[in-house]
Amino acid sequence: MTEIYGESVFSEQVMQERLPKATFKALQETIKEGKPLDSEIANAVAHAMKDWALEKGATHFTHWFQPLTGITSEKHDSFINPQPDNTTVLSFSGKELIQGEPDASSFPSGGLRASFEARGYTAWDPTSYAFIKDGTLCIPTAFISYGGEALDKKTPLLRSMDAISRQAKRVLALFGHNARQVSTTVGAEQEYFLIRETDYAQRLDLMLCGRTLFGTAPCKGQELEEHYFGSVRPTVKRFMDELNIELWKLGIPAKTQHNEVAPGQHELAPVYLTTNVAVDSNLLTMELMRKTASRYGLVCLQHEKPFEGVNGSGKHNNWSIAADGTNLLDPGKTPHENLQFLVFLTAVIKAVDEYQGLLRASVASAGNDHRLGGHEAPPAIISIYLGNELEAIVRDIVDSKTHEGHGEVLMDLGTPVLPTFIKDNADRNRTSPLAFTGNKFEFRMCGSESNLSDANLVLNTSVAKALADFADAVEGSTDFEAAVRTYLRQLLIDHQRIIFNGDNYSDEWPLEAASRGLLNLRSTPEALPCFIDPENIELFENLKVLSQVELQSRYEVKLGNYAKKVNIEALTCARMARARFIPAVIEYSTTVANAINAKQAASTGSGTALSTAAEKQLLSQLSKGVDTISEGVDALDMAVAEAVAVVDPQAQADAYLTKVIPAMNAVRQAVDAMEMIVGHDYWPVPSYNHMLFYP
């Protein structure tokens, strides 16, 4: 494991071995301090990178970037450089390393440019190491338009990291700390399903939509609570073993793996990394999961809700902030006395309360709408869980009371055979959207298919604003500590409504949240307008993270993605109903009708009356079912036509939400009713029972 770890990465260790000392030092200053990189240094790095890649068997290089589709993109160029004498040399320049020019015309831009304006640029992100994948040197890059606007997820994420770094350094300086590097960190827990390729190939809905548009709940689901942390299937274990090896080669610190709650569901969790590197690593992880699964006759499903009736999949975003390697959200043994920690904690509380709508919009998608609010994932209401001790500290600050810390508590398990251990200062609240878990915040609303850049962009920027407000308020105070405590108390009074330590799944919580004035944005079309709220535009523009034009483009791209995905689902739903389910029900109806005729003929011939009551009742149900499906598909076609005709992007997304999705649900309900009574051998697609419980 130690020998293969990072072998496919142009890491700091490789750089140190292959670059001249002065070049290595200059590059490290760029990576860790943001200093500009001159062309001579870039040429030296490119030459060393090329030689290393060739030794590893690479023949091509690519600028690996994240367009607004949310996935990754790459265009490969070989290292060959033909010569006049019909020979070739292998070359890779500093310019090719730093800048690329892909055709931007086919990527979504949300109106940033016309489709005929094709020029775009990729720009090297030196803080995320280059790596080799499938014989190609991959260089993580940003992607911008000809006019300099961000056309990707990475560019604004990096800007947000710069913003929070600047403001955190201001705050730390007030406490007497001159930090060299401040960065946010993320550990991304990835949930996913594995099913057999043979089943997948028979489900058009899974192939085109990533989720089943039809299917009744399995006879056995997750009610026995036996799959979570249960023994891993041998085939799945072999998949996990190979996946780990491939991830470790790429320097991705895959740490934890286990069965998740639902049958067929699993999870992989890495050790935390700097945020942009963590996002890159997560996108690579998702790609490798899909590729590796196929080698074991499996398909990896990363949709948020592949199957109705069992838990969907999330991607828990464990977020923290560190200065020169020290976690600024570590409360220490006496958090009530740790004033610096309380400042950063309160900054998060303030940021989440003030920008709760924006945070909700950052995780909004057609897929995640099926998951959020179910009794398996946080509701669409943003709140923060702090745990008993921190909540008590907040309450005492608000009430101007002196907090009495209780120190460490030992857990005595009642037998000398078992060890005693120190109890954590907070339990885990698995129902909270944003829970403080010891020294980080776990944002649990992110969907399993999502690019985490969006959520972390909002977290970084909103917390940067809260830190800037703090620094503005207390800089120059004659009594610094008194000014800090006064400021924190007022902030906690103003924003304590966002703190909720109870059960977010309860029926009472939405009512209480409404009384507190918290937002409940249940769907993507409801949430996305938060991107263009004036106060949110001001937030991003003032911190130089996104311009109004860039925010408008993202809003329109996300609306378009929502409408397109629901439209694809609707077309798939209608096609499957007409081409697969209606014929199947008719075929089975014919079999039942023939059975009735055969019984009646036998009765006539034998003189003995044979009952056909059950068959006739079944045939009546089947006949009505076919009619209901057919009528439902016709209504769905009309709903889709109406939605397609809407020009305004927001109104169109609303139409898909209010008209198309209910029409799809009606077709599903009619088809699923038939699945319960049609003979198993006649049903045209694998059932949930079959797909989720393979050997």
Side-chain angles (χ1 to χ4, degrees):
M1 291 167 63
T2 56
E3 290 176 0
I4 67 169
Y5 192 85
E7 69 174 28
S8 298
V9 181
F10 194 69
S11 62
E12 183 175 334
Q13 180 181 355
V14 175
M15 293 179 199
Q16 193 166 16
E17 292 172 354
R18 290 176 173 265
L19 295 175
K21 288 184 179 180
T23 302
F24 175 75
K25 181 181 178 182
L27 182 58
Q28 289 302 300
E29 288 175 347
T30 296
I31 293 172
K32 296 183 178 180
E33 299 178 35
K35 292 185 177 180
L37 192 69
D38 65 37
S39 58
E40 289 187 14
I41 299 297
N43 280 322
V45 174
H47 181 76
M49 196 180 286
K50 178 207 69 178
D51 288 348
W52 170 81
L54 291 172
E55 290 171 16
K56 293 288 184 178
T59 58
H60 289 68
F61 67 91
T62 182
H63 279 196
W64 185 76
F65 60 101
Q66 303 165 31
L68 294 179
T69 54
I71 56 176
T72 59
S73 297
E74 50 197 66
K75 181 188 76 171
H76 299 187
D77 290 293
S78 71
F79 290 114
I80 65 169
N81 186 4
Q83 301 299 297
D85 61 356
N86 205 30
T87 62
T88 189
V89 296
L90 303 181
S91 64
F92 182 51
S93 68
K95 181 179 179 181
E96 289 173 309
L97 168 63
I98 291 175
Q99 177 186 319
E101 187 192 330
D103 185 337
S105 61
S106 295
F107 292 108
S109 71
L112 279 177
R113 47 159 184 72
S115 59
F116 63 83
E117 296 172 337
R119 193 183 298 276
Y121 297 107
T122 49
W124 178 34
D125 171 15
T127 63
S128 185
Y129 296 136
F131 57 91
I132 293 174
K133 176 173 68 75
D134 299 330
T136 298
L137 172 65
C138 299
I139 303 156
T141 58
F143 180 43
I144 60 174
S145 72
Y146 183 66
E149 297 91 356
L151 289 174
D152 67 340
K153 304 280 188 178
K154 169 165 280 197
T155 301
L157 176 65
L158 291 173
R159 293 173 185 167
S160 75
M161 293 172 66
D162 289 340
I164 195 171
S165 176
R166 289 193 302 270
Q167 303 308 325
K169 286 178 179 178
R170 286 181 65 196
V171 172
L172 291 171
L174 294 172
F175 284 93
H177 307 306
N178 293 315
R180 182 185 178 197
Q181 183 182 31
V182 177
S183 59
T184 54
T185 60
V186 164
E189 304 173 29
Q190 179 71 50
E191 295 176 346
Y192 60 97
F193 280 83
L194 291 173
I195 64 169
R196 291 175 294 197
E197 277 184 325
T198 51
D199 295 335
Y200 178 82
Q202 297 180 64
R203 300 276 324 206
L204 187 66
D205 47 4
L206 282 176
M207 288 192 291
L208 298 185
C209 309
R211 74 179 183 102
T212 53
L213 303 177
F214 304 95
T216 58
C219 299
K220 172 188 174 183
Q222 59 199 53
E223 63 271 16
L224 294 179
E225 301 173 337
E226 61 185 356
H227 193 258
Y228 190 56
F229 284 15
S231 178
V232 179
R233 291 177 176 130
T235 303
V236 173
K237 181 60 168 62
R238 290 194 294 272
F239 156 82
M240 289 179 170
D241 290 344
E242 182 175 342
L243 176 63
N244 283 331
I245 290 171
E246 295 304 314
L247 292 174
W248 293 334
K249 287 179 181 178
L250 290 168
I252 298 173
K255 181 73 172 176
T256 303
Q257 60 190 31
H258 60 83
N259 284 350
E260 253 300 333
V261 172
Q265 188 184 33
H266 314 279
E267 180 181 296
L268 181 146
V271 178
Y272 70 89
L273 296 163
T274 303
T275 301
N276 63 312
V277 179
V279 172
D280 288 354
S281 296
N282 178 252
L283 292 169
L284 270 174
T285 298
M286 295 171 70
E287 179 185 333
L288 284 170
M289 282 178 169
R290 296 189 294 268
K291 288 181 177 178
T292 305
S294 65
R295 291 198 277 272
Y296 295 90
L298 301 171
V299 171
C300 179
L301 303 177
Q302 294 165 348
H303 192 281
E304 286 81 4
K305 193 71 173 178
F307 304 100
E308 284 294 319
V310 298
N311 274 18
S313 295
K315 178 149 46 190
H316 299 171
N317 188 84
N318 294 282
W319 180 92
S320 192
I321 179 169
D324 297 332
T326 299
N327 188 343
L328 299 176
L329 289 179
D330 187 347
K333 295 182 179 180
T334 54
H336 58 288
E337 298 174 351
N338 189 341
L339 198 58
Q340 179 179 288
F341 161 74
L342 291 174
V343 167
F344 281 92
L345 177 73
T346 305
V348 176
I349 293 171
K350 177 180 187 289
V352 172
D353 187 28
E354 289 185 342
Y355 298 101
Q356 53 184 283
L358 195 55
L359 199 56
R360 167 66 181 95
S362 74
V363 299
S365 69
N368 216 17
D369 280 359
H370 294 285
R371 170 180 163 265
L372 292 180
H375 280 243
E376 58 177 88
I381 306 166
I382 300 285
S383 66
I384 290 178
Y385 167 81
L386 292 180
N388 294 335
E389 182 176 3
L390 289 183
E391 186 182 37
I393 292 172
V394 167
R395 190 166 52 246
D396 286 345
I397 292 174
V398 168
D399 295 339
S400 299
K401 293 182 179 179
T402 300
H403 182 77
E404 299 293 337
H406 300 292
E408 295 178 345
V409 178
L410 289 177
M411 297 284 286
D412 185 353
L413 302 183
T415 171
V417 176
L418 298 176
T420 57
F421 55 86
I422 298 172
K423 182 179 179 180
D424 289 320
N425 61 12
D427 198 352
R428 284 192 173 190
N429 187 331
R430 305 304 289 173
T431 72
S432 177
L434 193 67
F436 186 78
T437 55
N439 59 6
K440 62 187 183 301
F441 279 95
E442 183 180 19
F443 188 32
R444 302 182 64 248
M445 294 180 75
C446 306
S448 54
E449 204 170 28
S450 68
N451 183 319
L452 288 176
S453 294
D454 291 335
N456 288 293
L457 162 70
V458 174
L459 279 170
N460 291 346
T461 309
S462 59
V463 174
K465 171 65 163 55
L467 293 173
D469 290 346
F470 167 81
D472 290 343
V474 302
E475 279 176 340
S477 301
T478 54
D479 188 339
F480 175 68
E481 183 172 337
V484 170
R485 294 192 180 278
T486 299
Y487 184 79
L488 292 184
R489 180 175 180 271
Q490 188 58 54
L491 278 190
L492 292 173
I493 290 172
D494 294 341
H495 300 291
Q496 60 183 325
R497 65 173 184 169
I498 201 72
I499 300 170
F500 180 63
N501 277 7
D503 182 2
N504 294 72
Y505 292 175
S506 69
D507 294 334
E508 294 77 20
W509 170 232
L511 299 175
E512 181 181 338
S515 70
R516 295 184 181 197
L518 301 181
L519 298 174
N520 188 2
L521 304 172
R522 296 177 177 85
S523 70
T524 295
E526 291 175 90
L528 291 182
C530 292
F531 278 112
I532 54 171
D533 282 348
E535 65 270 21
N536 295 335
I537 293 173
E538 183 181 4
L539 166 73
F540 284 115
E541 287 200 322
N542 285 349
L543 288 167
K544 300 183 181 349
V545 174
L546 283 167
S547 68
Q548 181 173 353
V549 171
E550 289 171 323
L551 280 166
Q552 181 72 33
S553 77
R554 276 159 170 70
Y555 163 65
E556 293 187 11
V557 167
K558 285 178 177 289
L559 281 175
N561 284 343
Y562 177 85
K564 291 170 186 175
K565 287 187 176 182
V566 177
N567 189 69
I568 291 169
E569 290 185 350
L571 296 178
T572 305
C573 176
R575 176 67 62 87
M576 291 182 72
R578 284 200 174 100
R580 302 300 299 271
F581 298 118
I582 288 178
V585 177
I586 291 174
E587 182 183 5
Y588 187 60
S589 300
T590 302
T591 300
V592 174
N594 290 338
I596 293 171
N597 292 335
K599 271 194 173 185
Q600 289 175 339
S603 297
T604 302
S606 65
T608 303
L610 299 175
S611 174
T612 58
E615 291 90 335
K616 288 180 177 178
Q617 181 182 12
L618 177 58
L619 184 59
S620 175
Q621 290 177 296
L622 293 168
S623 181
K624 291 177 182 177
V626 169
D627 289 343
T628 303
I629 296 171
S630 181
E631 292 166 2
V633 175
D634 290 342
L636 176 59
D637 287 344
M638 291 179 61
V640 170
E642 289 180 19
V644 170
V646 177
V647 176
D648 178 72
Q650 180 66 56
Q652 186 180 65
D654 292 339
Y656 276 104
L657 173 67
T658 59
K659 295 180 179 180
V660 175
I661 289 179
M664 286 174 56
N665 291 340
V667 174
R668 176 174 193 151
Q669 185 177 2
V671 170
D672 288 356
M674 291 297 97
E675 183 185 354
M676 299 298 292
I677 61 175
V678 169
H680 173 78
D681 293 339
Y682 292 82
W683 200 244
V685 298
S687 68
Y688 281 18
N689 289 320
H690 186 77
M691 287 188 287
L692 294 176
F693 294 94
Y694 56 89

